[in-house]
Amino acid sequence: MTVRFVEIDWNGRAVRIEHAWVGVRNAAAPLVVFLHEGLGSLAMWKGFPQQLCAATGSRGLVYSRPGYGRSTQRDADEAWGLDFMHRQASEVLPALLQALGVHERYWLLGHSDGGSIALLHAAGAAGAPHAQHLRQQVAGAIVVAPHIVVEDRSVASIELARIAYETTDLKARLAKYHDDPDSAFYGWNRIWLHPPFRHWSIEAEIATIRVPLLAVQGVDDEYGTLEQIRGIQRLVPHTQLLELDRCGHSPHRDQPQALIDAARAFIHHLRNRNGDTA
């Protein structure tokens, strides 16, 4: 996997985005855009994007959001706002796709915070208030352990993560994947533990989604209950659900083959039904 960098203009600031293309090289193959978790990065996906793309005959775009991996880091005094996932969905991702010359339809696969960002991006493509920012067409979305509301379980686990970061070798382990682990960790941790964030919800936004959805979650997810994906299905009734036994917050690590099989069936069925060639 060859890592590349591209510069985007975000909020009047030049931001460098680390990214890589994986999978098949056929321009007619479906494109899957991977959106990482709250402490993730391009490198932390490891071999999963390549494995999924090989199984689905797809091209893949993997990238690190600002503040993560080798992308431009968050300033020490810069705090993510309550709308940080909305901005990633409606500003950063469209700017990246434009900078890379992506004009075709694409699929989204997002994990955790990346799953929430995928939902918001798909909602924009379906007509949510920030739809004017979106210049591409979403073919469908696979959201893995996404958040649509803040639960007590999430906050409790994130508080434990803060303790681990400050008292164990977690910082050193994250430093293998992030130029500035403090940028990645505290950008995520502080906003999730910010008291007003307890009222964060994207239920109203995702109710507008019309594109196909597959929502996946582990039964043993330590960061959220199954009400997260079941809530998506109540709001977006055409959503397909996959609840995985013996699986925590990271199905692509705990149950990778089950997730790959579900993604392959989801993408291939919809492409065959629609007669898509890309």
Side-chain angles (χ1 to χ4, degrees):
M1 179 171 61
T2 301
V3 176
R4 298 181 171 88
F5 296 89
V6 68
E7 190 173 281
I8 66 170
D9 182 341
W10 185 33
N11 199 30
R13 175 189 180 195
V15 174
R16 186 180 75 159
I17 301 293
E18 171 191 40
H19 66 283
W21 297 95
V22 299
V24 304
R25 296 186 179 183
N26 182 359
L31 172 62
V32 180
V33 179
F34 291 83
L35 303 164
H36 64 74
E37 64 185 301
L39 287 180
S41 68
L42 184 160
M44 287 184 72
W45 282 108
K46 299 188 176 178
F48 179 77
Q50 179 62 46
Q51 294 164 10
L52 184 139
C53 287
T56 57
S58 303
R59 296 173 296 137
L61 171 62
V62 193
Y63 74 101
S64 297
R65 296 194 295 274
Y68 296 90
R70 315 302 174 205
S71 293
T72 297
Q73 300 301 299
R74 180 181 60 86
D75 291 338
D77 60 350
E78 180 183 4
W80 299 139
L82 300 178
D83 63 347
F84 79 101
M85 285 188 262
H86 291 74
R87 296 192 64 196
Q88 292 293 327
S90 65
E91 299 173 8
V92 174
L93 179 53
L96 174 63
L97 295 172
Q98 184 179 19
L100 294 175
V102 174
H103 302 295
E104 67 268 34
R105 300 179 72 204
Y106 52 89
W107 301 79
L108 301 166
L109 191 151
H111 173 227
S112 192
D113 283 13
S116 304
I117 293 166
L119 288 169
L120 288 164
H121 190 79
H130 55 275
Q132 65 270 23
H133 295 284
L134 306 180
R135 301 180 181 179
Q136 276 72 41
Q137 183 179 0
V138 177
I142 300 168
V143 293
V144 182
H147 309 282
I148 63 171
V149 294
V150 178
E151 295 181 298
D152 291 343
R153 179 182 298 187
S154 307
V155 173
S157 291
I158 291 168
E159 287 176 337
L160 290 175
R162 177 183 56 79
I163 294 170
Y165 188 78
E166 295 174 350
T167 62
T168 72
D169 66 344
L170 177 57
K171 179 174 180 176
R173 287 187 281 123
L174 287 175
K176 299 176 183 178
Y177 303 102
H178 303 285
D179 280 347
D180 182 350
D182 284 350
S183 170
F185 184 84
Y186 287 115
W188 164 77
N189 192 261
R190 286 173 178 160
I191 185 59
W192 270 94
L193 296 182
H194 187 39
F197 197 70
R198 292 300 297 263
H199 304 292
W200 177 90
S201 167
I202 58 171
E203 293 171 301
E205 291 91 330
I206 69 172
T208 68
I209 292 176
R210 299 294 177 267
V211 300
L213 283 183
L214 170 63
V216 182
Q217 190 167 4
V219 171
D220 304 315
D221 190 337
E222 62 274 29
Y223 282 92
T225 74
L226 291 171
E227 274 301 301
Q228 297 287 350
I229 64 170
R230 293 173 182 175
I232 294 172
Q233 190 180 58
R234 285 194 295 271
L235 293 163
V236 187
H238 65 264
T239 303
Q240 299 178 39
L241 297 188
L242 175 61
E243 299 175 4
L244 294 171
D245 292 326
R246 300 182 302 280
C247 183
H249 187 59
S250 300
H252 60 292
R253 290 193 284 269
D254 294 346
Q255 294 281 2
Q257 194 58 53
L259 178 54
I260 287 171
D261 289 345
R264 178 173 55 212
F266 178 70
I267 292 173
H268 284 183
H269 171 73
L270 290 166
R271 292 186 74 231
N272 291 336
R273 186 188 72 182
N274 297 333
D276 288 351
T277 58

